[in-house]
Amino acid sequence: MRVTPSALTPSTPAGTSAVILSASFNQDASCLSVGYPRAGFAIFNCDPFGRFYAGSAAFPVSGSANANQSHGNETPSFSVVEMLFTTSLVALVGAGQQSPRRLQIVNTKRESTICELSFVSAILSVKLNRKRLIVCLEEHIYVYDIANMKLLHTIDTSPNPHALCALSPSSENCYLAYPPSTSGGSSGDLLLFDVINLQAVNIIQAHKSPLSCIAFSCDGTLVATSSDKGTVIRVFSVPTGAKLFQLRRGTYNANIYSIAFDISNKFVCVSSDTDTVHIYKLMTEAEKKAYEILMRRRSSGAASGGVGGSGGNMDTLSTSPGGTGGLGSAGMDGTGASMKKTIGGILGTGFATIRTPLASATSAVSSFLPNTLTEMWEPQRDFAFAKLPQQSKGLQNMCAIIGGQPPNSPSFARTLDFDNAGLLDGGSGTSSTGPLQLIVVSACGFFYGYTMDSEIGGECVLVKEHSLLDD
């Protein structure tokens, strides 16, 4: 998240002497890096929350004089601060007196600069994984081998002032996604580029309107997109481009600020310029059908004061072993007693009865409509949501879901050494494996943590609030 001047409003907390220039989660959202105006940068652990590194000076190039001397004693500003998982390698781009055209790759443990790169125009964003480093300018994307910082490929793009692009965190499914040139195509297209083999592999017709946000899952098998309308989020398979899910945020337009998958690909969270962060539970078609059956049975039970009503027992659902985090197949007997998960595990109980008639009606209508019209009727709404505090309403923000079990992939193993860069001192080193939590960072300099019930859903509860500006 690169904070623009318009991100701050009169609702910014009184007494705030500084604001953040940028904020970014690392690849598994276990850490948060923040750039400040004339105050260097800091790195925080997300769970438990705490600052464990503060860089208040420019880093010298190995063997050279201290870089601070070239700018007097003023502490540098950083508009881009990107971590490589939990290693001490950090990519920095300056602001103010620090040139926005210069990229520094630094080792925070040794407090030295590994290398510097200069570009013809301002660097708008930097993306990293263990194989590649991506530098995005307004009209160019540069692909580097992160092991030796050798330039591998240059991509010319249409004007991209918001640096809209995403790099998969995975080393196995190593793809870059960005809007292609609009000549002969749609402004809502998404291009998938294989950054290992350096070739385009697919162009996905994601939206009809221009894209506004792109995000990969941690394992690089899914990519989510939104358009500048902000009413629908779509999830596609990588690299085939097959549309797997369509998620309805709302009917009114909104600016989508961030999209993030949880580490198990079961949930997606979306933040925008509204005061609500939405969380969606990804379900397969079989799981949706099982859900609709249960909702109809629960609705009829609630109407008669029986199952699902006051004093009644909820229906439950058997989950087939080996399922991928959804509902699995429903095993129903005459009484509906065979189950392993409650209905609350699919949707918050407060919404089930209200949405059931709509789900039934739209399901029936959609069977007679072409796909383009059916999408307007699909009732896939949020599973859970969180309300932002008053001080952060309408401001730029970003969100992530942490907790749960990480994939059994070597790409997400604890990094002990990477080009002589050890694990950051004080960091947790791995993603949280406890209950799922929603975390949100606001442009006004606050970190929020919410409890999230992965079985019941509904409204998330704010349990943490920390200032990113405190010393």
Side-chain angles (χ1 to χ4, degrees), residues 270-291:
V270 178
S271 69
S272 66
D273 60 358
T274 69
D275 62 354
T276 304
V277 178
H278 299 272
I279 301 169
Y280 303 87
K281 193 168 188 177
L282 303 182
M283 296 183 288
T284 65
E285 288 301 318
E287 292 165 351
K288 289 180 184 177
K289 291 178 181 178
Y291 159 76

Side-chain angles (χ1 to χ4, degrees), residues 374-414:
T374 299
E375 292 175 354
M376 299 174 58
W377 291 80
E378 291 180 355
Q380 180 123 2
R381 303 279 178 166
D382 59 358
F383 165 80
F385 65 94
K387 291 291 186 179
L388 295 178
Q390 182 65 37
Q391 62 201 6
S392 292
K393 289 183 178 180
L395 303 186
Q396 276 182 263
N397 56 67
M398 64 180 188
C399 61
I401 298 174
I402 60 174
Q405 296 297 322
N408 296 320
S409 167
S411 293
F412 298 94
R414 184 181 176 109

Side-chain angles (χ1 to χ4, degrees), residues 79-213:
S79 62
V80 175
V81 184
E82 293 286 343
M83 298 178 64
L84 177 62
F85 288 88
T86 51
T87 69
S88 55
L89 289 182
V90 178
L92 300 173
V93 176
Q97 292 189 29
Q98 304 289 318
S99 173
R101 298 187 295 107
R102 184 180 67 177
L103 169 66
Q104 285 183 293
I105 307 298
V106 304
N107 184 326
T108 56
K109 197 168 187 179
R110 298 181 177 180
E111 296 199 337
S112 63
T113 299
I114 298 172
C115 72
E116 289 188 356
L117 299 171
S118 295
F119 297 87
V120 296
S121 61
I123 300 168
L124 301 182
S125 72
V126 178
K127 311 292 182 184
L128 308 89
N129 64 23
R130 290 193 174 93
K131 294 288 187 180
R132 296 291 182 257
L133 181 142
I134 307 298
V135 179
C136 184
L137 312 185
E138 184 169 351
E139 295 186 350
H140 304 281
I141 295 176
Y142 296 91
V143 181
Y144 289 87
D145 184 339
I146 200 170
N148 53 26
M149 291 308 297
K150 177 183 177 182
L151 178 62
L152 300 176
H153 192 71
T154 302
I155 302 171
D156 295 330
T157 67
S158 297
N160 186 12
H162 301 295
L164 185 58
C165 68
L167 176 67
S168 166
S170 171
S171 298
E172 287 75 29
N173 301 302
C174 199
Y175 295 99
L176 174 70
Y178 62 94
S181 172
T182 56
S183 105
S186 168
S187 59
D189 288 350
L190 179 73
L191 190 149
L192 292 180
F193 187 88
D194 183 339
V195 291
I196 298 298
N197 299 306
L198 304 177
Q199 61 183 7
V201 295
N202 205 344
I203 294 181
I204 301 172
Q205 296 179 344
H207 301 268
K208 291 184 178 180
S209 301
L211 298 177
S212 65
C213 194

Side-chain angles (χ1 to χ4, degrees), residues 205-208 223-227 232-236 243-247 259 261 375:
Q205 296 179 344
H207 301 268
K208 291 184 178 180
V223 63
T225 63
S226 65
S227 74
V232 170
I233 292 85
R234 296 191 173 106
V235 178
F236 302 92
K243 188 177 75 172
L244 303 178
F245 303 98
Q246 177 159 287
L247 313 172
I259 303 173
F261 292 85
E375 292 175 354

Side-chain angles (χ1 to χ4, degrees), residues 305-465:
V307 177
S310 176
N313 296 320
M314 287 188 186
D315 283 340
T316 49
L317 177 68
S318 64
T319 304
S320 59
T324 56
L327 304 178
S329 58
M332 306 234 175
D333 55 21
T335 61
S338 174
M339 317 200 63
K340 289 184 180 178
K341 290 197 172 203
T342 65
I343 291 177
I346 308 167
L347 191 65
T349 56
F351 298 95
T353 303
I354 297 174
R355 290 176 179 171
T356 299
L358 177 62
S360 301
T362 56
S363 177
V365 173
S366 65
S367 63
F368 298 97
L369 298 175
N371 290 337
T372 54
L373 293 180
T374 299
E375 292 175 354
M376 299 174 58
W377 291 80
E378 291 180 355
Q380 180 123 2
R381 303 279 178 166
D382 59 358
F383 165 80
F385 65 94
K387 291 291 186 179
L388 295 178
Q390 182 65 37
Q391 62 201 6
S392 292
K393 289 183 178 180
L395 303 186
Q396 276 182 263
N397 56 67
M398 64 180 188
C399 61
I401 298 174
I402 60 174
Q405 296 297 322
N408 296 320
S409 167
S411 293
F412 298 94
R414 184 181 176 109
T415 301
L416 298 178
D417 189 282
F418 188 88
D419 289 348
N420 300 317
L423 198 70
L424 277 168
D425 293 333
S428 64
T430 56
S431 296
S432 171
T433 57
L436 291 179
Q437 303 174 55
L438 172 70
I439 53 178
V440 181
V441 174
S442 170
C444 64
F446 278 88
F447 175 99
Y448 304 110
Y450 297 81
T451 58
M452 172 184 160
D453 194 320
S454 60
E455 298 299 322
I456 297 176
E459 184 169 4
C460 300
V461 179
L462 178 64
V463 294
K464 301 176 186 177
E465 182 175 324

